[in-house]
Each structure stands twice: as structure tokens, then as C-alpha cells.
Amino acid sequence: MWSANVTQSEELTISSITASTLAKEFGTPAFIMDQADFYNRAQAWDIALKSAFGAHAGQVYYAAKAFICVEVARWIKDIGIGIDVCTGGELAVALAGGIDPAKIEVHGNNKSVAEIEKAVSAGVGTIVIDSLFEIERVAQAAKKFNVIQGVLLRLTPGIEAHTHESIATAHEDVKFGFSIASGSAWKAIEATRGHSSIQLRGFHAHIGSQILDTNSFDVSAERLIGLLARYRDTYNEELPELDLGGGYGIAYLPGDEALSPTTAMNALAAAVQQNCTHHGLAHPRISIEPGRAIVGPTMFTLYEVGTVKDVTLENGSNRRYISIDGGMSDNIRPALYSAEYTAILANRTSDAPTLSSRLVGKHCETGDIVIRDIELAGDISPGDLLATPATGAYGRSMASNYNHMPRPPVIAVKDGKARVILRRETEADLLGLDI
Ligand code: LLP
């Protein structure tokens, strides 16, 4: 839940800097990021992939959508893993951070021709193709720039992953990829083989997000390998690569258990090996795309309390509403996915008895709730600081300017030093868009 260098004694402290020091220097709300923890998590996935798959390990592609800025792209380059981008904007950040284009993989179910041309001309290693139209578009772009573009086909293996409906991506009724069961995957294979400017290297599947068991990944591997076997049987040649996506779940609440890189990769390696043996196939290179599992636990959000209000409920009980200076503009996940978070008092400790509380934001919406039900100290009052852990993934990256709220900064902390890596938006930034 909390990143490795966070401790809680008198105050919440990260790498020996207290929450109140951070609030004073950088303001609130702010995303506070543990840089060493980010490195460790990214490296842990890389090590787990390599030790589980050995010579058959492909690439860890960090899923930029979880959170990216140019400084984090530089870290990715430094760590040496790859990156998955799904828009021209994410591609621009990855390139600005100096990531080797060969280690960039481009996703998206509706990449524009301009985005495809930008990717191909930048020399990206892989484009993951999502529709028949795109096969033509990528082939054209590759011809135009006189290259042979490596591609994977995104497939839907027909899996109901155990997660929230809006973040499950591999059942049949989704906008992504080509269905294996309906035969559209095979049509895509045939269409791809018709172009000499693209080279089909294998298949991709991403089954969903915040998945905590390994079973669905095993089924995905089984179905993709089944198709590799059919490909071999038909064309008498083997495709060398599978990308089995991201989706590995993390802990948000006390008592939650994350899926560890070692557990996840060892389970996947066993499933891949078993299915390859079953079909008599050579072991393909295996890549993965974790986003949340790398960046999620590395950040917490620091808020300041502005008001406290008691409301009597229909059953006569009391609910305390604690309003903080952010809300659904910096964390939309509770409203979108009923995601649950916890929070702690960050600037001091309290022995006051707890009260049944609701942590809410400052937006003009009843649904602007960060935490629906939480026991918090009864003496929390304006000026206190609260911190919500595990907001690194899909927090700042899904932040909005709703109600003309400037988006919060990201502050990286390392070895007792804190610095801005993504600055706070200002009202001037927002007004700058007006004509
Ligand atoms: N690869 C592909 C092709 C993806 O679509 C995604 C996420 C990932 C990798 C990374 O998944 P992760 O390891 O981070 O779970 N906004 C939602 C999550 C949407 C994920 C979309 N795709 C949330 O806040 O839960």
C-alpha cells in the first residue's frame, strides 16, 4: 500500500521528509512519489520476467497510461526496460525522455494515421495492431518510410477477468483487438501476411486490470499459444513472440495482498511451458506490460483538510464529512470504478476516538467522494493533512480540470531530497487555452 520509504511515527515521513514539510514547500494537493521505490518495482518485474523465462524473456514494457512524465521516461530509460504507449501524446513523452524507440510498443484501438506515421518514422520496435483498417494503415506508413515494421496482433482470448467491468478487456464484447473464438483473429493474420512492409512477430493480449489471481493469465497464455500452434500447422513456420499484457493487481487497503512479480511470472512461465510442450512448439519470447504494479504503490496523495461537517443520517446515526482540497479531479477512480482507498492523518498522531467519516473533495458533486466509509480521528480539523496511499497509477494520469481545478504536481522524493518532476498547473495555464 505505502511505498518502501514511507514511515509513520509522529508524522507521515518519506525518506526522512515529513508530510508537513512537503505541504509547506510544495502545497496541497500533491502527489508524492518515492523514486527509489519506482526503480525497485520496475527492476523487480524485469528480474522476475528474466528469471522465470530465462533465454525466452522478452521485454517489460512499462504501461505509460498508469502515469508518465518526461522525468519518469528518463528513469525508464535508465532502468533499461521498455514502454507501452497508446497515444501520440504518450509517444511524445517517451521520446522526450530519451527512450530507445526500439523499446517502444504502440497500442490503441483507433490510432490516427498521423500517430501511426509518427511511430513508424520514429522507429518504434512494435506496433500492436487492433483492427483490419490498421493493418492497411501501418503497412502504408511502413512503405512510405521504407521500413519493415514489426507488429503484433491484439487478440481477445474471451476471458472474464475477475475485476471491475470497466477495466476488464478480454471478453468477447469489447472494442479491443481480434476475437480468437469468432475467427476474426485468423482473418487478421491472413491480412497481415499479405503485406511485405509489415512483419508479424506474434500476438498480444491484455485481459484487464487490477487482477489478483494468476488463473486468468494462464488461460490467456493457453489460448494464444493454441493460435501459435494453428499458425505453425498452417504456414509451417513459428511466430517468435507473445506479449501477455499487464493487469497485475496491487494492495489499496490494509489486508489487501498484491500479486508479487515472482508469483505472477513463475505461474505464467509454467503455463507457457506446459502449453508449448503440449503443442510441440518452440518457446516464444514473452513480454509483459505492467503499469499499476510498478507505479501504483510509489505515490500517495497529500491533501489538506478545509472543513468538517456532521450530518445526521436517517437512522439517527452521525456521519462526519471531511472535505479536502482535491477530490474527483485528482482521483476519479472511486467515482468511476467504486475503487476503495484508505487515508491517514499525516501531520500528527491522534488519540481521539474515531468517528464514522466520509472523505470528500471540493467539487460541486455529491459523488465527489474519495473514501465512502472510513474511521478517522474525531479531532481532525481544518489545516490537518491527510494522505491516501497507492494513488500512483491512474491518479495524476486521469486527473482533470473539472471545476477549473489546476491539476496537482508530482513531487519525487529520493535520499532525503524532494523535487518537482511535474509542476502544479496554474490558473494561468487554464486561462491560456481561452481565445
Ligand atoms: N497493456 C495494455 C494494452 C493496457 O490496456 C493496459 C491498461 C496495461 C497494459 C496496463 O495495465 P495495468 O498493469 O496498469 O493494470 N483506469 C483504470 C485502468 C485502465 C487500464 C487500461 N489498460 C483504473 O484506474 O483502474
PDB file of all heavy atoms in Angstrom, residues 401 405-407 423-432:
ATOM      1  N   ASN A 401      -9.464  18.857 -15.138  1.00  0.00           N
ATOM      2  CA  ASN A 401      -9.586  20.241 -14.689  1.00  0.00           C
ATOM      3  C   ASN A 401     -11.021  20.571 -14.322  1.00  0.00           C
ATOM      4  O   ASN A 401     -11.430  21.734 -14.369  1.00  0.00           O
ATOM      5  CB  ASN A 401      -9.115  21.207 -15.778  1.00  0.00           C
ATOM      6  CG  ASN A 401      -7.645  21.080 -16.053  1.00  0.00           C
ATOM      7  OD1 ASN A 401      -7.241  20.768 -17.166  1.00  0.00           O
ATOM      8  ND2 ASN A 401      -6.836  21.300 -15.042  1.00  0.00           N
ATOM      9  N   MET A 405     -10.146  23.232 -11.767  1.00  0.00           N
ATOM     10  CA  MET A 405      -9.129  22.939 -10.746  1.00  0.00           C
ATOM     11  C   MET A 405      -7.808  22.700 -11.459  1.00  0.00           C
ATOM     12  O   MET A 405      -7.731  21.856 -12.357  1.00  0.00           O
ATOM     13  CB  MET A 405      -9.512  21.666  -9.988  1.00  0.00           C
ATOM     14  CG  MET A 405     -10.654  21.835  -9.029  1.00  0.00           C
ATOM     15  SD  MET A 405     -10.100  22.421  -7.415  1.00  0.00           S
ATOM     16  CE  MET A 405      -9.470  20.900  -6.714  1.00  0.00           C
ATOM     17  N   PRO A 406      -6.759  23.394 -11.094  1.00  0.00           N
ATOM     18  CA  PRO A 406      -5.437  23.095 -11.665  1.00  0.00           C
ATOM     19  C   PRO A 406      -4.993  21.711 -11.189  1.00  0.00           C
ATOM     20  O   PRO A 406      -5.199  21.371 -10.023  1.00  0.00           O
ATOM     21  CB  PRO A 406      -4.538  24.189 -11.085  1.00  0.00           C
ATOM     22  CG  PRO A 406      -5.455  25.217 -10.507  1.00  0.00           C
ATOM     23  CD  PRO A 406      -6.715  24.495 -10.124  1.00  0.00           C
ATOM     24  N   ARG A 407      -4.403  20.916 -12.075  1.00  0.00           N
ATOM     25  CA  ARG A 407      -4.000  19.565 -11.667  1.00  0.00           C
ATOM     26  C   ARG A 407      -2.779  19.613 -10.739  1.00  0.00           C
ATOM     27  O   ARG A 407      -1.901  20.461 -10.915  1.00  0.00           O
ATOM     28  CB  ARG A 407      -3.720  18.710 -12.911  1.00  0.00           C
ATOM     29  CG  ARG A 407      -4.998  18.342 -13.655  1.00  0.00           C
ATOM     30  CD  ARG A 407      -4.740  17.592 -14.922  1.00  0.00           C
ATOM     31  NE  ARG A 407      -3.998  18.406 -15.879  1.00  0.00           N
ATOM     32  CZ  ARG A 407      -3.547  17.971 -17.046  1.00  0.00           C
ATOM     33  NH1 ARG A 407      -3.767  16.720 -17.393  1.00  0.00           N
ATOM     34  NH2 ARG A 407      -2.898  18.773 -17.851  1.00  0.00           N
ATOM     35  N   ARG A 423       5.117  19.948 -12.611  1.00  0.00           N
ATOM     36  CA  ARG A 423       4.700  21.063 -11.763  1.00  0.00           C
ATOM     37  C   ARG A 423       3.183  21.177 -11.655  1.00  0.00           C
ATOM     38  O   ARG A 423       2.449  20.635 -12.481  1.00  0.00           O
ATOM     39  CB  ARG A 423       5.316  22.371 -12.268  1.00  0.00           C
ATOM     40  CG  ARG A 423       4.690  22.911 -13.533  1.00  0.00           C
ATOM     41  CD  ARG A 423       5.025  24.384 -13.724  1.00  0.00           C
ATOM     42  NE  ARG A 423       4.656  24.849 -15.059  1.00  0.00           N
ATOM     43  CZ  ARG A 423       3.423  25.205 -15.402  1.00  0.00           C
ATOM     44  NH1 ARG A 423       2.414  25.127 -14.532  1.00  0.00           N
ATOM     45  NH2 ARG A 423       3.167  25.619 -16.632  1.00  0.00           N
ATOM     46  N   ARG A 424       2.763  21.906 -10.634  1.00  0.00           N
ATOM     47  CA  ARG A 424       1.332  22.157 -10.448  1.00  0.00           C
ATOM     48  C   ARG A 424       0.847  23.050 -11.582  1.00  0.00           C
ATOM     49  O   ARG A 424       1.539  23.979 -11.991  1.00  0.00           O
ATOM     50  CB  ARG A 424       1.087  22.865  -9.105  1.00  0.00           C
ATOM     51  CG  ARG A 424      -0.398  23.082  -8.792  1.00  0.00           C
ATOM     52  CD  ARG A 424      -0.590  23.865  -7.490  1.00  0.00           C
ATOM     53  NE  ARG A 424       0.007  23.205  -6.343  1.00  0.00           N
ATOM     54  CZ  ARG A 424      -0.502  22.144  -5.715  1.00  0.00           C
ATOM     55  NH1 ARG A 424      -1.637  21.634  -6.127  1.00  0.00           N
ATOM     56  NH2 ARG A 424       0.106  21.614  -4.685  1.00  0.00           N
ATOM     57  N   GLU A 425      -0.343  22.761 -12.097  1.00  0.00           N
ATOM     58  CA  GLU A 425      -0.940  23.673 -13.068  1.00  0.00           C
ATOM     59  C   GLU A 425      -1.347  24.955 -12.350  1.00  0.00           C
ATOM     60  O   GLU A 425      -1.604  24.943 -11.136  1.00  0.00           O
ATOM     61  CB  GLU A 425      -2.192  23.035 -13.685  1.00  0.00           C
ATOM     62  CG  GLU A 425      -1.924  22.406 -15.021  1.00  0.00           C
ATOM     63  CD  GLU A 425      -3.124  21.657 -15.581  1.00  0.00           C
ATOM     64  OE1 GLU A 425      -4.075  21.372 -14.826  1.00  0.00           O
ATOM     65  OE2 GLU A 425      -3.105  21.356 -16.769  1.00  0.00           O
ATOM     66  N   THR A 426      -1.423  26.018 -13.117  1.00  0.00           N
ATOM     67  CA  THR A 426      -1.832  27.297 -12.528  1.00  0.00           C
ATOM     68  C   THR A 426      -3.114  27.769 -13.209  1.00  0.00           C
ATOM     69  O   THR A 426      -3.491  27.243 -14.271  1.00  0.00           O
ATOM     70  CB  THR A 426      -0.752  28.364 -12.760  1.00  0.00           C
ATOM     71  OG1 THR A 426      -0.616  28.531 -14.188  1.00  0.00           O
ATOM     72  CG2 THR A 426       0.589  27.939 -12.171  1.00  0.00           C
ATOM     73  N   GLU A 427      -3.727  28.761 -12.626  1.00  0.00           N
ATOM     74  CA  GLU A 427      -4.901  29.336 -13.292  1.00  0.00           C
ATOM     75  C   GLU A 427      -4.476  29.918 -14.637  1.00  0.00           C
ATOM     76  O   GLU A 427      -5.242  29.899 -15.600  1.00  0.00           O
ATOM     77  CB  GLU A 427      -5.546  30.397 -12.400  1.00  0.00           C
ATOM     78  CG  GLU A 427      -6.324  29.750 -11.271  1.00  0.00           C
ATOM     79  CD  GLU A 427      -6.934  30.744 -10.299  1.00  0.00           C
ATOM     80  OE1 GLU A 427      -6.830  31.963 -10.539  1.00  0.00           O
ATOM     81  OE2 GLU A 427      -7.504  30.282  -9.296  1.00  0.00           O
ATOM     82  N   ALA A 428      -3.259  30.424 -14.701  1.00  0.00           N
ATOM     83  CA  ALA A 428      -2.767  30.964 -15.977  1.00  0.00           C
ATOM     84  C   ALA A 428      -2.697  29.872 -17.046  1.00  0.00           C
ATOM     85  O   ALA A 428      -3.023  30.111 -18.207  1.00  0.00           O
ATOM     86  CB  ALA A 428      -1.401  31.610 -15.780  1.00  0.00           C
ATOM     87  N   ASP A 429      -2.289  28.644 -16.641  1.00  0.00           N
ATOM     88  CA  ASP A 429      -2.283  27.529 -17.604  1.00  0.00           C
ATOM     89  C   ASP A 429      -3.687  27.318 -18.153  1.00  0.00           C
ATOM     90  O   ASP A 429      -3.892  27.116 -19.345  1.00  0.00           O
ATOM     91  CB  ASP A 429      -1.837  26.219 -16.936  1.00  0.00           C
ATOM     92  CG  ASP A 429      -0.350  26.199 -16.610  1.00  0.00           C
ATOM     93  OD1 ASP A 429       0.428  26.773 -17.378  1.00  0.00           O
ATOM     94  OD2 ASP A 429       0.017  25.603 -15.575  1.00  0.00           O
ATOM     95  N   LEU A 430      -4.653  27.353 -17.252  1.00  0.00           N
ATOM     96  CA  LEU A 430      -6.026  27.082 -17.675  1.00  0.00           C
ATOM     97  C   LEU A 430      -6.549  28.223 -18.555  1.00  0.00           C
ATOM     98  O   LEU A 430      -7.139  27.994 -19.602  1.00  0.00           O
ATOM     99  CB  LEU A 430      -6.939  26.896 -16.460  1.00  0.00           C
ATOM    100  CG  LEU A 430      -6.560  25.731 -15.535  1.00  0.00           C
ATOM    101  CD1 LEU A 430      -7.549  25.607 -14.392  1.00  0.00           C
ATOM    102  CD2 LEU A 430      -6.511  24.431 -16.321  1.00  0.00           C
ATOM    103  N   LEU A 431      -6.311  29.464 -18.130  1.00  0.00           N
ATOM    104  CA  LEU A 431      -6.790  30.617 -18.909  1.00  0.00           C
ATOM    105  C   LEU A 431      -6.069  30.715 -20.241  1.00  0.00           C
ATOM    106  O   LEU A 431      -6.603  31.269 -21.207  1.00  0.00           O
ATOM    107  CB  LEU A 431      -6.606  31.904 -18.108  1.00  0.00           C
ATOM    108  CG  LEU A 431      -7.626  32.057 -16.965  1.00  0.00           C
ATOM    109  CD1 LEU A 431      -7.202  33.138 -15.990  1.00  0.00           C
ATOM    110  CD2 LEU A 431      -9.007  32.338 -17.515  1.00  0.00           C
ATOM    111  N   GLY A 432      -4.865  30.121 -20.300  1.00  0.00           N
ATOM    112  CA  GLY A 432      -4.074  30.171 -21.519  1.00  0.00           C
ATOM    113  C   GLY A 432      -4.727  29.470 -22.693  1.00  0.00           C
ATOM    114  O   GLY A 432      -4.341  29.656 -23.852  1.00  0.00           O
TER     115      GLY A 432
END
